Amino acid sequence: MRTSSSALFGLGLVMAVDRLVFQPDRPISDVQQTLLGIVRRVART
């Protein structure tokens, strides 16, 4: 569980920095939906 939590935190951090630096016009709701989709896929495994 601890590793999963760290991985999800890291994923969120990378996505946030990616949006701020490379895609500042990307809506935050799009980033949120992408992150939730990844979490759902991992949860099914």
Side-chain angles (χ1 to χ4, degrees), residues 1-30:
M1 181 71 174
R2 189 172 177 180
T3 302
S4 299
S5 299
S6 297
L8 286 174
F9 177 78
L11 177 63
L13 183 63
V14 168
M15 287 183 72
V17 170
D18 180 69
R19 178 184 173 267
L20 289 172
V21 174
F22 299 110
Q23 302 171 343
D25 296 333
R26 185 178 180 189
I28 193 72
S29 60
D30 185 33

Side-chain angles (χ1 to χ4, degrees), residues 15 28-38 40-41:
M15 287 183 72
I28 193 72
S29 60
D30 185 33
V31 176
Q32 180 183 14
Q33 289 302 317
T34 302
L35 184 58
L36 286 174
I38 292 169
R40 287 182 186 124
R41 275 181 256 152

